[in-house]
Each structure stands twice: as C-alpha cells, then as structure tokens.
Amino acid sequence: MRYRPEASWNLILPLRKWNEQASVHPLARYIGVTVFCVALAAYLVHYAEKYGLNVPPSATGDEPSYDSLGWEMSHGRGYQIDFDNPDFRRPYDLKAEQQPQLFSLPELTAGPTTYRPPGFPAIIACTDLLFGRQYWAVRILNAAAMAATCGLLVQFLFRHLGMLPALIGAVTFVLIDYRTRLYGRAILTEAFALLFVTILTLALVSLSNSTRPNRLAIGTGVVAGMLVLVRTMFVFWLPAIAVLMYFLVPTSLAGEFFKKKRFVPPAIFVAVSLLVITPWMIRNCVVLGAVRPLGTQGMIELSAGYSDQAVQSRGVWMNLWNQGFFDGVVTPEMSSLEIELARANYSSQLAFQWIRENTGKAAVLVPMKIYQEFRPRTAGEWFVFLFAILGYATAPSRQIRIVFGALLLINAAAVGVTWSVAGRFLVPLLFIFHALAVSGIWYLLTRASSRQSQ
C-alpha cells in the first residue's frame, strides 16, 4: 500500500513537502527492505567489532541451556540438557580459564527437560547441524530477526505517516533503544519472540479490512503457535487474542458459508494455534507421567511470583534455586525429570497455599508486577516510553489504537498473574512501543513547525 498524502496529518510546509515528495518516490516502497539490510549490517559489524560473533555466551543466565538443548538435538540425542558433554563444554571451559565468574558452567543433572519450549533450541540445532559447534550462525539469525522487525516497523510507519517518520523509526529502534542491540546478540528467545509478535500485530491491524479473514486467522494461528513454542508465557495471549479477533472481524466478510459469523476466524485461530503446540504438549505429559502440557517452568517459578519473598522483591522474579528454595525436595539420585516435577509440585503447592492465606497481598502484587515491568530504567527506555504515551493519543487510526492498546493490556495481564523480570517481558512488544513513539515524535515536530510558520 503506497503512502497517501491525503491520509496523513495536516503537516506544515517544510516537513510536509519533503515528506510527501520522498514518500511518493518510485523507490520509496523499498524502504523496509533497505532498512532491514542496513540494520542487519550495523548489528553484525557492531557485534563483531565489540564482542566477537563466535564467543560463547555468559554461563550465568539462560543462554547455555538453550545452547545445550540445540547441541543435543543436532546429534540426535533428544530434547535434553547435558552440561557434561565435553564437546559442548570446550568453548566455555576455554573462556573460563580467563573469566571463571562469567563462563564456568553450573552443575546440572543431565537429561530430558520440559522446562523450556523447543522453538528456539530447534533453530540452534539447525545451525549446529549445518556449521558444527559455533555461535556465529545463531547470532546472525537473531540479528536478522531484530533487523527484520526494524524493517517491518519502518514499512509500517512509511505506510501510515510517510518517509521521514519511517527513517526516524529506524534511528530510534537501532540507535536509541539498547534493548534491540542487546537481544539481537544474546542467545535468547527475545529476538524471534519480537519478530513473531510484530507479525501477529500487523495481522490483527489488517484484520478489519481483510476480505479473507479466515485465511488470515489460519496464518495468525500458525504464528501464535510458533510464539508459544518460543516463549511459553504467550499461551496466556491465545484466548485474549481470540476475543480481540471477534471484535475486529467485519461481520459481512466472515466467509461465504459462515457469512456474518464473527466467531469463525477466532475459532480457526485457536484451533490452528493449538494444533501447532499440541505435539509439544503431548510430549510433556508423556515424559513427565503427569498432566503438565506446558511443561514445568510456570509451576516451578510460581513461588517466585506469589510468596513473601515476591512481596519483598516487589514482584520482580528471583532465582529460587540459588536461594536454596528446593533443597528439601531434590535429592542426588533423582533424574532430571523427577527433579523438575518435584520442584513444580512443591513450588505450586506453596504458592497456592500462600495465595489462599494472603489474598490481599496477592492482589496487591498484580499491579506491583505490572509497574515493575513497564517502568523505564534507562534514558533510552524513558525516551521511547514517554513518546509512546503521546503517540498512543495521536496514533494514525482508531484501529491501530485498539490493537496496540489491547496487546499492551494482554501482556500486562500476563505479567500481573506471573511475575516481572524488570522489563524483559516488554522486549517482544518493542515494535508497538517504537511505532507509537515515532507517532508522538512526529506529532511534536509537526506542531512545532506549525507554530513557527504562524
């Protein structure tokens, strides 16, 4: 869809003329692809020069677990973690000789797991199959996912506001917001989660104008299922998105056979997304011998979200394992799956008991977690956040406000019922934040131009 000057805001001469002229240039429609290439090159050069593309990640977080899962899968040993494998350990051990505090792998019982979903490890496994033991390939893919999101952001802004706001969006995304640079390099799920959420957002924005909402619902369901396979927390999104779709679908375009049946696209969406994640859910129940279709992560960490310690940390997640929380329920002879199940049962039982005995505190924790998650912590985050607030009020269309606002509320609710990770759960929504921020920036620029011209 080409930019339409008549659909833009009433811009004053200097900015308006340049923006309109640049936006109707024959090559302007390629701005998204161009920015993707430039952003990807910028990320990779930055990573290669400052950090190195092929250095192992820090062993203090989640990255080695994803790395091990991918390595084991690539060798046909199943979905398991094994920090004792000598080929897997070698890069970490070499780095640990100089920086033991960062690269020393923790002791962990080897074996199958249901703690982490399989989407991102499967991507790592593909890179290991193709290129052997390395880190550069998955980092390139993560950087590509981040750059692709930037390209989609720029194309979206170009379509609704024009060329100059689109270029502003590229600058804010790549240069001002450090989170895009951090998670484009980290061997974590954020980059792909952001890309999938961006695609999902764009699909929902276009739904009310779609002449084939059922087909769009199928594609959206596939993306949502992949999103859950990357980050289990997004399972909370599925019913809420189905409700949102019900109100977005035009009643006269719900399909010839199901004409005026607004529930059909949402039903298709739920069915397709469940179809995508069902094999993983069945596998979890089988290997655990218990009805835990989403694995054990949520139940293991539940006491991190509902406990006296959670109140003390103001709803921010804490590492229960390092605090010795599970010392009384884990024994050396247990297998990896027995450890996971024991931890899940123990943590969930204590959390539910705490909620029953502390209903008031549990209720207060919900807004506390949301506040901790959405509260900016750096200058760049404050910049994006404050302009996004203005941008929401001045967004180009009512449809955009509805979809963006609904997804922000859905994510806030998911944080409220789980726990905060001090902003990390906002990374998959950076497309929304930056699109709104640029809308706010553009509004202020055009208002300032208007006053100067009077």
Side-chain angles (χ1 to χ4, degrees), residues 9 33 51 90 156 198 265-266 290 296 299 311 339 352 369 404:
W9 291 322
V33 175
Y51 306 102
R90 190 169 295 113
F156 175 85
T198 298
T296 56
M299 293 296 100
V311 175
I339 291 174
F352 289 131
K369 295 170 186 176
F404 284 14

Side-chain angles (χ1 to χ4, degrees), residues 34 54-55 101 113 137 164 166 293 307 326 334 363 366 373 379 402 426 435:
T34 302
N54 204 39
V55 297
Q101 70 281 7
T113 182
L164 184 54
S307 61
F326 299 106
M334 283 183 170
V366 173
E373 194 64 24
I402 290 174
L426 295 187

Side-chain angles (χ1 to χ4, degrees), residues 335-412:
S335 68
S336 61
L337 291 175
E338 289 173 338
I339 291 174
E340 285 190 12
L341 197 55
R343 292 169 65 192
N345 291 336
Y346 179 70
S347 180
S348 59
Q349 288 171 5
L350 287 186
F352 289 131
Q353 179 182 345
W354 186 88
I355 293 171
R356 289 192 298 268
E357 296 174 354
N358 301 272
T359 307
K361 290 182 180 180
V364 171
L365 270 173
V366 173
M368 192 182 297
K369 295 170 186 176
I370 295 172
Y371 167 76
Q372 290 290 351
E373 194 64 24
F374 279 78
R375 175 173 66 90
R377 288 170 169 80
T378 67
E381 289 182 31
W382 273 109
F383 180 91
V384 174
F385 182 78
L386 292 177
F387 277 113
I389 293 175
L390 175 62
Y392 186 80
T394 59
S397 73
R398 178 174 177 270
Q399 185 75 6
I400 291 173
R401 285 194 295 271
I402 290 174
V403 173
F404 284 14
L407 293 180
L408 288 170
L409 288 175
I410 291 169
N411 193 66

